Amino acid sequence: MIKTAVNPLLDKFEPTFIITDANLRIIEHKNGNGTIKPLQQWKARQCSIFTILPDLEHKKGYLEKVLKKELSRFEIKSATLQLDKDQKKKVNITIMPNEEYGNKDGLILLVVDTNKKTAPGASPQTDGRRKPATLDIDASLCTPENELRYFQLVLESLPSCIVYRNLEEDEIFINREFLQYFDMPSSIVPMKQLKKELPSVYSELVEHDAKLLAGQPVHDNLIRIETAKGRRCFKVNATPRSNENGNIVGVLYCGQDATEEIKAKKEYERERSFLEILMDNVPDTIYFKDTEGRFIRINKAQAKVLGIDSPKDAIGKTDFDFFAPEFAMAAFQDEKNILKTGKPLLGKVEKVEKAGGWARWFSATKMPIFDENGKVSGLVGVSRDITEIHEAKEKLIEQNKQLEKARAAAEAAMKARTAFVANMSHEIRTPMNGVIGMTNLLMQTDLNDEQKEYAEIILNSGDTLLTVINDILDFSRIESGNVQLEKQPFNLRLCMEECLDVHAAAATKKGLELAYYIKKPCPMTIVGDKGRLLQILNNLTSNAIKFTEKGEVILQVAAEEKSPGNFILEFKVKDTGIGISEAGQKKLFQPFSQVDSSISRRFGGTGLGLVISRKLVQLMGGDISIASKEGVGTTFSFTIHAEGKDMKEFDDHSLLASQLAGKSVAVVDDNRTNRRILSLQTKSWGMKPYEFEKAADVLEVLRKGQHFDVGILDLLMPGMTGIDLAKELHKHDNLRQIPIILLTSVGWRRDNVSDGLNNIKQFLTKPVKQSRLFDTIATIFSQKKVQQVSGKDIQAMSTRVAENWPLDILLAEDNPVNQKFALRTLEKLGYKADLAENGLEVLKALEKKPYDLILMDIQMPEMDGVETTIIIRSRVAEEVRPQIVALTAHAMPGDREKYLSLGLDDYISKPIKLEELIRVLKSCKPKNGKAIAGLSSPEGGAGAEKVQEPSISLADLKNTLGFGEAEEDSFVFELVDVYIKETKTLLAELPDAVKSGDIKTVCRIVHTLKSSSQTIGINNLSELADEIYQKADQYSPSELVNVTSELISQTEKVLADLQKIPEQQ
Amino acid sequence: MANIVVIDDEEDIRLILKEVLEQEGHTVTTSENGKELNINNLSNFDLVITDIFMPDQDGMQIIMEVKKTVPDMKIIAISGGAFFGAGNTLKTAQLLGARFTINKPFDIDDVVEKVNTLVNEN
C-alpha cells in the first residue's frame, strides 16, 4: 500500500474507465477488474453516457462544467449503471475532464462498484473548488499494477511538472507536462542517462540529496535549467518517499514553470521604478485619485505643494484636507465632471489657495483613467506652477490698458485741438479776406509811389498769410473728419490737362518740359471729387516744378480694374529735379516740417501741401509714396479708388483712325520723354512713328530716300530748331508737301519768320493735349477729302431742298472734322446749321432759338448726347421741342431701338449718308407750318445703299463715300491704297496673335479692321470683324481660329477686288 | 419776379429766407457754400444774398469773386457776428461790393424791404 501525505489520488482503488467525447458519447473504455462486462458493446454502439448512467441526466449542468474544465472533478455516489435492459448496478462515479486520450475534449468517468468499498469522495462537488477529498481505501484492491497505472494517469493529467525519482531503480519518471520541455523519447529515464543527456537537470535533482535522502523535503526551490523551450526557471517542491521500513525509496519532485512569472515580475519592477523616477523628478505635480477624489498616489512635487514630507502621507486624503475650501470645492466639481463624462480637463488656469493666504497659479490638466471594462475608475492630474508667468501677463495687460488710455487721451486732445481750429476757420479767414479786399480797393485809388509800395507789400503779406491760413484750415478740417468728398463724374483727360494748364507758364519760365500721359486701357470718365484730385495733382506738380531746375515734369496715370466699374488709379508725377535724401523723405509727410530749412528758404512754401495731399489720398482709399534719388529726380506716386466708365482701350476715333492708319510720322524733339509720349500716342492711333533727337538726323534720313507722311517737330531745339527744319524742308520740292505740326511753348510768339512756310499746318502749344494733336493730324489728312466734296451730281440735290423744306438745324458735334463734313453736307442741301460743341452749348443754343432739328452726336465731352436729350425732353414742352436725331459711329442692330428708348427721335450712323439725312429731314415738321409738296429729293443722286456685291466697283465706292461721279478718283485711290496697306499689315499680325491666344491684340486688329472697312463701306467685312470683336472672349481657341481664318479669307478677297479698282477706269 | 440765390451754411436760415422771399414772388435758389455758382450760371441771378462767416467758403471771398465775374451783381451780406468780434466785417463787405448788410438775428420785414429795394431798382 502506498502511503502518501500529499496526493489523495494516489490512494488505491479499482476503477473502470469510461471515456466520452465532447458530446458525451462513449468512445473508449478500460476495464478494471472486469466487473462491468458490456463495455465492449457500449463502445461499439457509441451510445450516450446517459444511456448507461441515466442519473447523470440530472447532473447535466455539472457535466457541462467538467467538460468546460470549470470543474476539475465531480463525484456521484450510488448512481445506477444500466448494464442492459434488465440488469442494473449501483456504482460510484468520479467524473473528470479527459486530458489524455484522443481529442482530449470529453470526459473520463471512473466507475466503481459500490459493493466494493472504493467510492471516492462523499458528496458531489458543487462549487468547483478543489477540496481534498478523503478517500476510503480498500487495501485489497490496491495491486501494484493498478496503483501504478492510476498513478500514471494522475501524473499525466496534472498541469504541474512531476518527476518521480526511484532511488532503488535509480531511474526517474518524468510526466508529460515536464517532458514537453525536453527531447526525451520516453518518460522513464535512468539516472545515468539523465546525467549524460541532461546534466543540468540531473544536477538540480541531486542538488539537495543531502537533505532529501535524510527524509527532509525541500520546498520552494528555484532551479534554472536549459530546456527545449529555452532557459526556464522552475519552482520545485521535492518530497522524499519512504517505505514501510522507513527507508527513503524515492523522491517526488513537483514543479511549476515560473519563468513567465519571474519575467513578468521583473518587468513590473522595471516599470514601477520608471514611474517612480518620472513622478519624482518631474517638477509638475502629479497625482492619482480614485472616484471619490481621494489621493491614491502622488509625486514629490505634489507632496511639496500639499505641504507634507512624504508622498505616502497623502494617500486616502482629498483636496479638502489641504486647500482652502473654495478651491477644493471648485476642483472637486471639475473632477466630478471628469469622472462623470469621461472627458479630460486640459490646461485650466486656476488659482490654488491654502488657508493662511498661500496662493499660486497653476495650469491643471486632469484626465480620467479607465478600467478594463471602459468604466472610469479614477483620474490622473498634472499641474504646472505658472505663477510667475501669470503675474507677468497680468502686469502686461494692465500696462497696455494704461497705454491705451493715454493714447486715447492724447488722440482726443489732438482732435479737440484741430476741431477747435476747424471750427474757428471763418473767424480766421474772413478778416484776412477783408484785408486783402480792402487793400485791392486801396490800390485802385490814387496813390503816390511810396503808398503804392506799402500797399503792395500789405497785399503780398496778406496773400501769403491767407495761403497759410487756408492750408492750416484745410488740414484741420480733414484731420477732424469734416471733409466730404464729392462723387461726380468728370473727364480724366480734361482734369489732367487742367492741371497742366495751371503750371504751363511756370514750367516754361524755368525751361522745363511739362507733359502728361494716360496709359491705356483706362476709364475716361471718373466718378469722384475732381476738385480735390486737382488739388493733389496741383500740389505735386507745383512741388515738382519748384524743385526742378532743368529737365522735365511728367504726369502719368494708369488704371487697374478691381471689379467691374471699380478702379484703382495710380498717378505719378515724375521730375528730373534735385531729389530728396532718405532722411528728408522720412520727414516729408510730417506736418509742419519741410525737408531742409535751407531748401525751404530757397523755394518757399508752407510744407502743408503734401500733408493735405496725403490726407486726401487716404480719404480716397489710397496712399501716397515717394521714390527719389538726390541729383537725379523724384517720383511721387499715389493711388485712389474710384468708379470709372467709358473705357478707352486704344485711342481710336473709329471713323477717322482709319485715315491715320499706317501713316508714318517723324517725331522730332530733343526731349526723350516727349518723343516717347508722342510715339506712343501716334502708335496707338495706328500710325508709324519714327523718333529723332535732332533735326539734322531727319534731314539725313530724308536724303537717303525715306518718306514721312507727317512731321511733329518741337520748336525749341538746340542746334536746328523746328522752324529751321521746316524752312529746310520747304526748300525742296519733294519734301515740301510733308505736313508739319510745330510744338511751341507757352508764351512763344509767332513772328513772321514762319510766314510763307505753308508746310507748317499747325502750331500747338505744349503741353500738347492728346485730343488736339489727334484732331490736328486727322484734319491734315482729311482736308483733301472735305475740299473735294462738290460735284455735278450733288448739284442735283440743290439748295432747293432747304427752300421747300425750311428747318432750323442745330448740329451738336465736338470733332472738328465731323463738324466740317456734316455742316458741308447740310450746306449742299441749302441748310445753314448752327454748331454746338457739347451738351451745355446745345442747351444754351436752344434757349436762344427754337430749333426744328438737332443732330446730336452721342459722344461729346462735358455732357453727352443722351444726357442732353433727357434734359431737353424734361425741360422743353412737347409742342416746341425739336426733333433730336442721334449721330453715332456705332451702327449695330438694336441701336435704333436703344436710342429711341433713350428719348431720341431717330438716329443716323456716321459717316452721314445723304439719303439718311434726307429721310430724317423729311420727318421733321418745320415750325412755321409751311406745307410742303413733296421734296424734290434726288434720291437717285446718292443712290440707295446697296448690299455690297462680291466684287467692288469704283462707282460703288464713290457712292458709299458720298462722292458724285464727277468726283476726282485720285482721292478714292488714295483711300483704297491706305486701306489695302493697312489691312495687309493687320492680316499679317492676326494669325500670330490668334495662335498665342493674345486676345487683346486680336481685338485691336479686328476693331481697327472693322472701323476702316466701315468707312470704305465694305460692310460685310466690317460686320464680320465687329462680330468677332464683340464675342472675342467667348470663343474657344479652336473657334477663334475658325472665325479669324474666315475673316482673313474674306478680307483677302476684298483686298483682291480693291486692287483691281484702279484698272476699272 | 427776381432770381435770387441765398448762400448760408445754416439750413434754418436758408429755409427761412427761401420761404419768405418766395412768398414775395421771387425765385430762390439756396446753397450751403456757394460752390455751385460759377461763371456760367452766375449771370442768371439778379441778387446774391450771402452769409459772411462760413466754414466751407469765405463769404467775403464770395463777394469779391462775384464782383469780379459780374460787376453789377446786386449783393446783400448777412453776418451773425464773430467769435472774436465782428470788427469792421460788414463795413468791409459793403466796401467790397455788398449793397446792403443785414445783422443776424434779422428782422424778416427788414430783409424783405432791402431785397425789394434792390430788385426794383431798374
Side-chain angles (χ1 to χ4, degrees):
Chain A
M1 191 148 128
I2 297 174
K3 240 199 285 197
T4 175
V6 179
N7 203 328
L9 286 179
L10 294 181
D11 287 342
K12 231 188 355 188
F13 68 101
E14 176 205 302
T16 294
F17 298 96
I18 302 179
I19 297 159
T20 74
D21 62 10
N23 295 321
L24 301 177
R25 296 190 180 278
I26 299 171
I27 56 172
E28 186 56 84
H29 68 276
K30 285 242 156 94
N31 252 1
N33 263 350
T35 47
I36 302 174
K37 290 230 166 66
L39 282 173
Q40 208 67 16
Q41 306 167 34
W42 295 340
K43 175 187 164 181
R45 278 189 278 149
Q46 290 212 327
C47 58
S48 153
I49 197 70
F50 299 115
T51 322
I52 59 168
L53 291 167
D55 290 339
L56 289 184
E57 286 270 11
H58 305 298
K59 311 287 182 193
K60 256 201 201 150
Y62 297 111
L63 293 185
E64 301 286 319
K65 284 204 171 162
V66 177
L67 271 175
K68 290 191 203 161
K69 296 180 183 137
E70 287 170 20
L71 202 51
S72 60
R73 212 177 97 171
F74 175 49
E75 294 175 355
I76 303 180
K77 285 197 40 199
S78 291
T80 309
L81 179 66
Q82 198 83 29
L83 291 170
D84 55 35
K85 254 203 290 192
D86 318 311
Q87 280 195 65
K88 296 188 204 178
K89 231 178 173 134
K90 280 286 181 192
V91 288
N92 290 334
I93 318 172
T94 303
I95 305 169
M96 292 182 293
N98 173 18
E99 287 179 321
E100 165 107 351
Y101 298 96
N103 287 337
K104 304 180 186 152
D105 57 3
L107 299 175
I108 293 185
L109 296 92
L110 304 184
V111 181
V112 173
D113 211 328
T114 48
N115 297 330
K116 317 262 170 162
K117 276 204 214 150
T118 56
S123 54
Q125 294 172 317
T126 53
D127 61 359
R129 265 188 255 162
R130 279 192 203 141
K131 230 198 309 182
T134 48
L135 301 171
D136 298 321
I137 296 168
D138 187 347
S140 61
L141 290 169
C142 298
T143 64
E145 307 86 45
N146 281 347
E147 186 182 307
L148 194 57
R149 248 181 284 141
Y150 186 59
F151 185 35
Q152 276 179 324
L153 173 69
V154 167
L155 288 186
E156 298 313 298
S157 311
L158 287 172
S160 309
C161 298
I162 311 266
V163 171
Y164 180 68
R165 181 172 163 203
N166 191 333
L167 288 168
E168 286 168 345
E169 306 292 327
D170 202 23
E171 64 183 22
I172 59 168
F173 165 77
I174 306 177
N175 81 338
R176 194 179 49 125
E177 182 69 27
F178 199 37
L179 207 54
Q180 289 173 53
Y181 287 85
F182 301 102
D183 217 352
M184 299 248 104
S186 92
S187 5
I188 298 187
V189 181
M191 287 295 273
K192 274 205 200 92
Q193 188 182 348
L194 186 69
K195 191 173 180 185
K196 216 194 290 178
E197 294 181 19
L198 294 171
S200 59
V201 179
Y202 177 85
S203 58
E204 290 294 345
L205 289 182
V206 303
E207 169 96 29
H208 299 284
D209 269 359
K211 275 200 182 154
L212 293 169
L213 298 177
Q216 278 181 1
V218 178
H219 288 179
D220 295 325
N221 193 17
L222 217 58
I223 66 171
R224 278 183 188 76
I225 45 181
E226 279 297 335
T227 72
K229 291 191 188 178
R231 201 168 165 73
R232 295 266 146 175
C233 200
F234 292 88
K235 219 195 292 185
V236 181
N237 289 344
T239 314
R241 178 179 173 233
S242 50
N243 63 6
E244 55 272 13
N245 297 331
N247 293 336
I248 309 296
V249 293
V251 182
L252 184 67
Y253 301 87
C254 284
Q256 289 286 109
D257 186 348
T259 317
E260 297 305 316
E261 187 190 318
I262 291 171
K263 225 205 247 171
K265 241 203 190 139
K266 266 210 190 114
E267 278 290 325
Y268 169 70
E269 282 306 312
R270 220 167 64 141
E271 292 292 320
R272 253 191 60 134
S273 75
F274 278 163
L275 184 60
E276 290 276 344
I277 295 170
L278 188 68
M279 280 191 67
D280 286 327
N281 286 307
V282 163
D284 297 343
T285 67
I286 305 177
Y287 44 92
F288 294 86
K289 288 185 177 175
D290 63 16
T291 52
E292 303 303 313
R294 295 181 292 230
F295 288 112
I296 301 175
R297 184 169 171 181
I298 67 170
N299 71 343
K300 286 204 180 116
Q302 174 74 328
K304 199 154 167 240
V305 168
L306 296 179
I308 52 181
D309 287 324
S310 163
K312 294 201 178 59
D313 295 339
I315 297 177
K317 303 213 174 89
T318 69
D319 285 335
F320 288 94
D321 295 312
F322 299 99
F323 299 113
E326 300 84 33
F327 169 73
M329 198 57 193
F332 182 63
Q333 291 296 350
D334 285 339
E335 286 163 14
K336 223 168 55 169
N337 209 29
I338 295 171
L339 293 171
K340 189 162 79 162
T341 65
K343 289 214 172 81
L345 181 71
L346 300 169
K348 177 179 176 185
V349 175
E350 53 187 19
K351 187 171 182 191
V352 178
E353 291 171 300
K354 292 210 269 202
W358 182 100
R360 285 188 82 79
W361 288 83
F362 285 83
S363 167
T365 296
K366 300 182 188 182
M367 319 255 281
I369 300 176
F370 300 96
D371 63 13
E372 62 270 14
N373 296 324
K375 264 181 60 183
V376 179
S377 60
L379 62 84
V380 57
V382 180
S383 291
R384 173 166 301 169
D385 190 332
I386 55 166
T387 311
E388 278 81 25
I389 301 172
H390 189 88
E391 277 169 5
K393 225 207 280 184
E394 301 271 282
K395 234 192 232 168
L396 204 61
I397 292 175
E398 186 57 37
Q399 259 178 1
N400 280 348
K401 271 208 202 123
Q402 299 292 353
L403 277 173
E404 181 59 34
K405 268 206 211 138
R407 194 195 63 82
E411 207 179 292
M414 177 70 177
K415 272 227 164 110
R417 219 174 300 144
T418 46
F420 172 77
V421 173
N423 288 336
M424 290 295 113
S425 61
H426 24 298
E427 310 291 341
I428 301 171
R429 195 176 41 202
T430 302
M432 204 56 237
N433 273 323
V435 167
I436 292 174
M438 294 314 294
T439 313
N440 272 324
L441 284 184
L442 186 64
M443 291 186 72
Q444 285 164 26
T445 63
D446 241 339
L447 298 173
N448 64 30
D449 286 337
E450 195 183 357
Q451 288 168 324
K452 224 185 237 155
E453 196 184 340
Y454 293 170
E456 263 180 34
I457 293 173
I458 295 174
L459 198 61
N460 281 335
S461 302
D463 272 333
T464 308
L465 191 55
L466 191 64
T467 312
V468 176
I469 293 171
N470 275 328
D471 266 1
I472 294 176
L473 293 180
D474 206 8
F475 172 71
S476 6
R477 283 184 60 228
I478 298 175
E479 266 280 284
S480 49
N482 283 353
V483 160
Q484 288 276 35
L485 291 179
E486 285 187 14
K487 249 184 156 194
Q488 294 290 333
F490 62 90
N491 184 296
L492 179 62
R493 182 187 309 137
L494 292 180
C495 178
M496 310 265 293
E497 289 173 358
E498 240 180 270
C499 173
L500 293 198
D501 282 341
V502 168
H503 297 98
T508 312
K509 219 183 197 173
K510 288 180 100 171
L512 305 173
E513 294 285 346
L514 186 59
Y516 80 101
Y517 181 62
I518 301 179
K519 249 191 197 166
K520 308 288 190 308
C522 185
M524 285 294 116
T525 305
I526 308 292
V527 179
D529 193 327
K530 177 180 175 186
R532 290 295 188 178
L533 178 61
L534 260 180
Q535 189 176 351
I536 303 166
L537 287 172
N538 279 331
N539 172 250
L540 295 178
T541 310
S542 84
N543 277 344
I545 293 176
K546 227 192 280 187
F547 288 85
T548 307
E549 292 302 317
K550 59 176 169 70
E552 67 202 18
V553 172
I554 310 290
L555 266 69
Q556 192 181 294
V557 61
E560 194 189 326
E561 190 161 15
K562 277 289 143 182
S563 68
N566 290 308
F567 295 86
I568 294 182
L569 296 170
E570 188 184 28
F571 292 85
K572 279 196 182 16
V573 178
K574 290 189 209 185
D575 68 56
T576 55
I578 60 178
I580 310 172
S581 65
E582 286 273 334
Q585 287 177 42
K586 286 204 183 74
K587 279 210 241 156
L588 213 48
F589 292 104
Q590 287 166 10
F592 311 112
S593 91
Q594 201 156 355
V595 173
D596 186 308
S597 49
S598 64
I599 293 178
S600 73
R601 258 179 268 128
R602 227 170 115 201
F603 293 105
T606 66
L608 260 188
L610 273 177
V611 181
I612 294 177
S613 292
R614 180 195 231 183
K615 289 266 166 217
L616 289 173
V617 164
Q618 282 167 348
L619 276 177
M620 293 181 189
D623 207 353
I624 193 168
S625 62
I626 173 178
S628 178
K629 199 160 176 210
E630 283 183 282
V632 175
T634 309
T635 301
F636 277 94
S637 314
F638 69 92
T639 53
I640 65 170
H641 288 233
E643 285 168 35
K645 44 189 181 164
D646 302 329
M647 289 296 291
K648 268 269 160 89
E649 301 288 334
F650 11 83
D651 290 293
D652 74 327
H653 293 227
S654 49
L655 162 68
L656 296 172
S658 62
Q659 290 168 314
L660 271 60
K663 294 272 190 282
S664 56
V665 49
V667 174
V668 190
D669 192 327
D670 58 308
N671 179 290
R672 186 164 168 267
T673 311
N674 270 356
R675 288 202 302 276
R676 274 220 80 218
I677 294 181
L678 287 167
S679 285
L680 285 168
Q681 282 173 341
T682 49
K683 212 193 239 174
S684 74
W685 300 326
M687 303 179 79
K688 287 201 176 60
Y690 295 85
E691 294 182 26
F692 299 93
E693 197 182 338
K694 292 192 284 223
D697 296 337
V698 183
L699 287 175
E700 180 76 32
V701 147
L702 283 170
R703 249 176 239 134
K704 290 204 185 130
Q706 188 164 350
H707 165 78
F708 297 108
D709 297 310
V710 64
I712 303 177
L713 314 180
D714 184 25
L715 176 61
L716 291 164
M717 292 189 284
M720 199 182 224
T721 69
I723 289 213
D724 293 336
L725 179 57
K727 232 195 265 182
E728 185 62 35
L729 292 176
H730 194 259
K731 285 194 199 146
H732 304 269
D733 280 336
N734 60 333
L735 300 177
R736 193 179 301 144
Q737 347 111 313
I738 302 179
I740 299 203
I741 302 172
L742 270 179
L743 307 181
T744 67
S745 309
V746 165
W748 178 84
R749 278 190 215 298
R750 188 182 165 164
D751 53 25
N752 30 18
V753 178
S754 55
D755 285 352
L757 292 174
N758 57 4
N759 52 347
I760 302 178
K761 300 297 173 191
Q762 186 72 278
F763 290 88
L764 291 178
T765 320
K766 291 199 280 188
V768 177
K769 305 203 169 86
Q770 262 185 332
S771 47
R772 281 285 275 150
L773 182 61
F774 179 86
D775 287 340
T776 309
I777 300 179
T779 309
I780 288 176
F781 288 121
S782 63
Q783 249 158 17
K784 271 194 194 165
K785 178 181 171 187
V786 173
Q787 282 164 9
Q788 285 169 338
V789 174
S790 67
K792 243 199 303 187
D793 251 358
I794 300 183
Q795 280 170 13
M797 41 186 140
S798 67
T799 52
R800 273 185 282 135
V801 174
E803 275 171 30
N804 293 330
W805 199 256
L807 294 169
D808 283 335
I809 304 181
L810 176 64
L811 172 71
E813 170 67 63
D814 68 319
N815 188 301
V817 182
N818 285 348
Q819 283 170 8
K820 276 213 177 95
F821 185 61
L823 287 174
R824 206 61 190 268
T825 313
L826 287 167
E827 251 177 52
K828 295 282 165 281
L829 299 173
Y831 293 103
K832 197 107 202 284
D834 291 339
L835 184 62
E837 299 219 42
N838 58 48
L840 288 174
E841 291 192 14
V842 170
L843 296 177
K844 265 211 185 119
L846 258 185
E847 289 175 348
K848 302 211 173 83
K849 203 200 264 186
Y851 291 95
D852 300 307
L853 168 68
I854 302 181
L855 294 168
M856 182 94 74
D857 181 22
I858 293 301
Q859 258 106 11
M860 287 187 292
E862 296 298 326
M863 193 190 288
D864 70 5
V866 176
E867 215 177 323
T868 315
T869 306
I870 293 173
I871 294 181
I872 294 174
R873 284 182 86 93
S874 68
R875 287 213 198 142
V876 183
E878 179 88 51
E879 319 80 68
V880 294
R881 204 198 314 130
Q883 190 89 329
I884 307 177
V885 174
L887 296 176
T888 165
H890 303 272
M892 290 204 291
D895 269 355
R896 171 165 269 115
E897 293 72 46
K898 180 168 108 182
Y899 289 117
L900 290 183
S901 70
L902 286 171
L904 291 139
D905 297 300
D906 207 340
Y907 97 117
I908 312 178
S909 59
K910 292 196 277 197
I912 298 179
K913 306 259 189 305
L914 216 36
E915 68 277 12
E916 281 281 295
L917 185 57
I918 292 175
R919 177 181 65 77
V920 157
L921 292 170
K922 260 210 252 179
S923 70
C924 297
K925 281 217 229 332
K927 292 283 180 321
N928 54 23
K930 244 200 205 167
I932 310 304
L935 207 57
S936 53
S937 97
E939 245 124 41
E945 194 179 315
K946 286 197 276 238
V947 170
Q948 207 58 36
E949 285 159 6
S951 116
I952 306 162
S953 71
L954 181 58
D956 290 336
L957 267 183
K958 284 167 103 174
N959 246 348
T960 321
L961 292 168
F963 299 156
E965 269 180 29
E967 206 59 53
E968 266 180 286
D969 299 330
S970 60
F971 184 76
V972 180
F973 292 155
E974 245 185 71
L975 201 59
V976 168
D977 209 33
V978 172
Y979 177 82
I980 293 175
K981 249 201 274 182
E982 168 66 2
T983 308
K984 276 205 176 132
T985 317
L986 289 175
L987 287 191
E989 288 179 30
L990 189 55
D992 278 1
V994 171
K995 213 194 286 180
S996 59
D998 184 359
I999 298 291
K1000 239 190 176 164
T1001 307
V1002 170
C1003 276
R1004 180 181 57 75
I1005 295 173
V1006 160
H1007 187 95
T1008 313
L1009 184 61
K1010 169 223 161 173
S1011 66
S1012 28
S1013 303
Q1014 195 177 37
T1015 306
I1016 299 254
I1018 304 178
N1019 292 321
N1020 57 343
L1021 208 55
S1022 97
E1023 271 161 22
L1024 183 57
D1026 192 36
E1027 194 186 312
I1028 298 179
Y1029 176 68
Q1030 297 296 334
K1031 296 206 195 123
D1033 47 0
Q1034 295 168 25
Y1035 289 123
S1036 71
S1038 55
E1039 282 176 278
L1040 188 64
V1041 169
N1042 285 343
V1043 291
T1044 47
S1045 311
E1046 172 68 28
L1047 180 67
I1048 291 175
S1049 73
Q1050 287 258 7
T1051 311
E1052 283 173 353
K1053 229 199 287 172
V1054 166
L1055 288 180
D1057 279 340
L1058 283 176
Q1059 268 162 338
K1060 294 200 201 114
I1061 289 199
E1063 304 158 22
Q1064 282 181 20
Q1065 286 305 72
Chain B
M1 291 178 335
N3 222 340
I4 306 179
V5 58
V6 171
I7 307 170
D8 196 315
D9 60 311
E10 283 179 80
E11 191 175 0
D12 296 337
I13 303 289
R14 293 199 300 274
L15 287 176
I16 294 178
L17 287 177
K18 187 172 160 88
E19 248 325 286
V20 165
L21 293 175
E22 272 179 352
Q23 279 174 20
E24 292 292 312
H26 305 298
T27 312
V28 180
T29 312
T30 60
S31 169
E32 200 183 340
N33 47 29
K35 276 212 180 111
E36 301 88 331
L37 294 181
N38 57 47
I39 308 174
N40 292 330
N41 58 23
L42 199 51
S43 42
N44 298 338
F45 297 105
D46 303 308
L47 169 63
V48 174
I49 303 179
T50 177
D51 185 18
I52 296 293
F53 289 100
M54 296 190 288
D56 219 340
Q57 278 247 75
D58 187 17
M60 201 71 85
Q61 195 163 0
I62 290 179
I63 294 176
M64 288 195 275
E65 292 203 355
V66 166
K67 268 294 164 185
K68 203 166 40 164
T69 315
V70 183
D72 53 3
M73 174 66 77
K74 300 180 186 142
I75 306 176
I76 296 181
I78 310 179
S79 173
F83 192 73
F84 294 104
N88 291 318
T89 311
L90 287 179
K91 181 86 170 125
T92 311
Q94 264 192 305
L95 287 171
L96 290 177
R99 293 288 304 277
F100 289 121
T101 60
I102 299 174
N103 265 312
K104 280 199 256 188
F106 47 72
D107 177 10
I108 292 189
D109 293 325
D110 182 35
V111 173
V112 169
E113 199 193 307
K114 289 188 168 133
V115 166
N116 286 337
T117 310
L118 282 182
V119 162
N120 295 331
E121 246 171 20
N122 334 343

